[in-house]
Amino acid sequence: MSTVQWKPGLAIAQDPDAVRDYAIDFAEFLEGETLASVVVTPTACTATKQSSDDASVKVRVSAVTAGASVTIHITTSSGQVDDRTINFTPAQL
């Protein structure tokens, strides 16, 4: 599993046949709050939330094709709402 610190424009190369787990750390964004809810939305790939804790989300990504991305929609313990999108590039690794 790879741990990912989200930043604008984040792009990850992944083999189209690979099934990979990524842990996305939201601690810096949360500034002491916790994750109250998480929704994962894939585009041009398959992605499912495997688990989440107070500050991170584990997502399993597979079947990456051109234009693939995963958007993670979070709601914090105080009711703030935000989206984080990770772009994926199919690559033979």
Side-chain angles (χ1 to χ4, degrees):
M1 176 175 36
S2 299
T3 299
V4 177
Q5 186 68 29
W6 185 89
K7 60 186 176 196
L10 177 63
I12 299 172
Q14 179 170 317
D15 188 295
D17 297 322
V19 177
R20 300 275 319 269
D21 290 339
Y22 297 94
I24 299 87
D25 182 2
F26 288 95
E28 186 175 314
F29 169 77
L30 292 169
E31 297 179 344
E33 292 187 56
T34 59
L35 294 173
S37 69
V38 177
V39 176
V40 175
T41 305
T43 300
C45 64
T46 300
T48 55
K49 179 182 91 167
Q50 298 297 300
S51 63
S52 61
D53 60 25
D54 288 345
S56 66
V57 178
K58 181 179 165 186
V59 178
R60 178 164 288 170
V61 179
S62 61
V64 170
T65 60
S69 66
V70 175
T71 298
I72 302 168
H73 179 85
I74 63 170
T75 302
T76 69
S77 54
S78 72
Q80 295 185 77
V81 176
D82 207 352
D83 290 328
R84 295 290 187 246
T85 299
I86 303 170
N87 297 304
F88 287 87
T89 303
Q92 296 297 323
L93 302 174

